[in-house]
Amino acid sequence: MNFCVTTPIYYINGDPHIGHAYASIAADIIARFKRLDGYTVHFSTGTDEHGVKVARSAENVGMDTHHFSNIMSQKFRDLSRAINLSEDDFIRTTEERHKKSAQTFWKLLEKDIYKSIYSGWYSARDEEYVPENEIVDGKAPSGAPVEWMEEESYFFKLSAYQDKLLEHYEKYPDFIGPNARRNEVISFVKSGLKDLSISRSKFNWGIPIPDSDGHVMYVWIDALANYITSLGFPENKEYVSQMMENCVHVVGKEILRFHAVYWPAFLMSAGITLPKRVFAHGWWTCDKEKMSKSVGNVVDPFYIIQNYGLDQLRYFLFREVRFGEDGDFSEEALKNRILYDLANDLGNLVQRVLAFIQKFGGHLTVNYDFSDQERILFANAKNLVSRMRSQIEKQDLHGALNTVWNLVSESNKFTNDMRPWELVKTDVSRLNAVLTVLCESIRSIAFGIAPFMPDTARKIFNFMNVEGKSFDEIENNFIDQKFVELSPLFPKEK
Ligand code: MSP
């Protein structure tokens, strides 16, 4: 079973921030869940290095563009390491393999390409052509400045794909998520698609168009093609199509149009299989304000990880806000989540149950003569992953974490009700049943959090002497399993 998940590739005009970390961690959670669920996964991320914006940033700091790209791309690689990404590929659009792929891709589109003159507005910050009717107070809808452009350009016959795209959205209702965004895309396409300018002639920081007179590709064609480059295009066409068929693109809401309109139209034209789904997430503000360099409120993921811990951040980003909606980042909210959800709820459950087992010999004698209450918790523990599976399928990462935390609460309540510290004096056989159910539950919880908080899950697996490599392990019992010495899950000192 194949599965593919991608992050957007990041512009390297500035340092990585929490928004980049967010998109990457989301895709990582999905990739990790699928691997634990037995899929062969291809998870790609990388940097988008061509275009006006990057070229100007290099110029502004007086650096050669190649040199600037190398330095900046490395910062995104460093972010990938700092947030514990499990990517299979980190792609840079300045790599030779990508040039070959993008040029071959272009050739496949040629029947839909013609040359004309583009004259209109362009926003370098968004790397986007802005139609006259969308200009507000002389700016792009995003607030970015626009500049007038008039040059010879190749165009892609996007208008010819309007009906085909609408048919595709109709036939595959899950192609775009969340639903509200799907509706926005459909009305955008219904309102009429214009042909798209896809080359630049007065500018050269890009991939040259094959056999052409100095034109380079519009950065978005080049960028979108990264997804197939990473899968091995132009070689391995069959594999590329197979993977695309099972591919989820995780993107921010402001770049959904590129992924859900332009990209599928290009793929249709090239005869390459469309991705299974494009999911658009929301934006983080900081203390209720839009993050911006000039305001100086951009959240630095390296700082947060240093001060609060990585798994703490990974947890927070997906528990605090429903994935798909906008959210507000504050250190206060992060501290509360760490204290209440992680230290109090999860930390205490694991600590008190496993410490108790340690104290009484370090292993369980399995007792399957369960009471009703025990049977319910046992069943809920065993079913945790299947409940999460349908949520992850829809990229409901927030819902999946809620599902895990319901089991955490239920297990804490069960511990309080059953009072193992008293059973040890009165009924050792009952005590074994209670602890067995709790251990099954903790193991399931560890699997449930593993995609979100891989290091924390690893610690729990180690205490319990569980491999933690596949959800199949949830089926095994704990007979004669030796538990290992505990250490705090979320040490107070970071
Ligand atoms: N290079 C393009 C993507 C090409 S994909 C073929 C791009 N790069 S970006 O660096 O500007 O943005 C990358 C991602 O980061 C986007 O999905 C964007 O939504 C996300 N974020 C940037 N700032 C963000 C927040 N403040 N909050 C959440 N995510 C945001 O677009």
Side-chain angles (χ1 to χ4, degrees), residues 25 28-29 32 83-86 310-311 314 446 449-461:
I25 296 171
D28 186 59
I29 291 166
R32 286 176 185 269
I83 57 180
N84 197 2
L85 277 208
S86 63
L310 170 62
D311 277 4
R314 289 178 59 118
I449 63 169
F452 295 86
M453 297 191 280
D455 292 340
T456 307
R458 173 63 31 223
K459 278 191 189 169
I460 304 177
F461 290 139

Side-chain angles (χ1 to χ4, degrees), residues 110-172:
E110 265 171 359
K111 67 173 185 334
D112 286 320
I113 293 178
Y114 62 94
K115 213 180 211 179
S116 181
I117 303 281
Y118 179 84
S119 59
W121 297 103
Y122 192 76
S123 152
R125 200 164 86 195
D126 305 322
E127 293 286 14
E128 193 169 2
Y129 301 92
V130 189
E132 187 78 47
N133 63 354
E134 287 185 20
I135 304 274
V136 189
D137 297 335
K139 296 210 159 117
S142 64
V146 289
E147 53 204 284
W148 186 254
M149 229 180 82
E150 204 162 315
E151 62 186 48
E152 188 185 56
S153 163
Y154 287 97
F155 283 78
F156 175 77
K157 277 191 211 146
L158 186 64
S159 55
Y161 287 87
Q162 180 163 337
D163 292 341
K164 292 189 189 105
L165 286 167
L166 291 170
E167 272 165 37
H168 190 82
Y169 305 146
E170 177 87 10
K171 188 161 172 209
Y172 301 97

Side-chain angles (χ1 to χ4, degrees), residues 43-54:
F43 167 26
S44 67
T45 184
T47 43
D48 187 356
E49 308 186 11
H50 292 126
V52 190
K53 175 153 81 171
V54 170

Side-chain angles (χ1 to χ4, degrees), residues 146 168 213 292 325 413 440 453:
V146 289
H168 190 82
D213 32 356
S292 97
E325 284 166 20
K413 178 171 182 313
E440 295 286 354
M453 297 191 280

Side-chain angles (χ1 to χ4, degrees), residues 8-11 17 19-20 48 220 223 227 252 254-255 281-284:
I9 49 171
Y10 303 109
Y11 287 131
H17 60 68
H20 306 123
D48 187 356
W220 268 101
Y227 299 129
E254 86 291 6
I255 56 171
H281 63 73
W283 270 53
W284 285 93

Side-chain angles (χ1 to χ4, degrees), residues 40-95:
T40 304
V41 173
H42 184 87
F43 167 26
S44 67
T45 184
T47 43
D48 187 356
E49 308 186 11
H50 292 126
V52 190
K53 175 153 81 171
V54 170
R56 283 187 191 158
S57 303
E59 220 174 275
N60 287 343
V61 290
M63 238 189 236
D64 162 72
T65 327
H66 280 283
H67 183 55
F68 177 78
S69 297
N70 289 342
I71 292 175
M72 294 306 289
S73 177
Q74 185 58 44
K75 292 190 182 187
F76 285 84
R77 254 185 225 272
D78 294 345
L79 176 70
S80 293
R81 296 293 55 80
I83 57 180
N84 197 2
L85 277 208
S86 63
E87 80 273 18
D88 300 292
D89 188 17
F90 186 101
I91 178 169
R92 299 182 56 187
T93 52
T94 46
E95 286 168 334

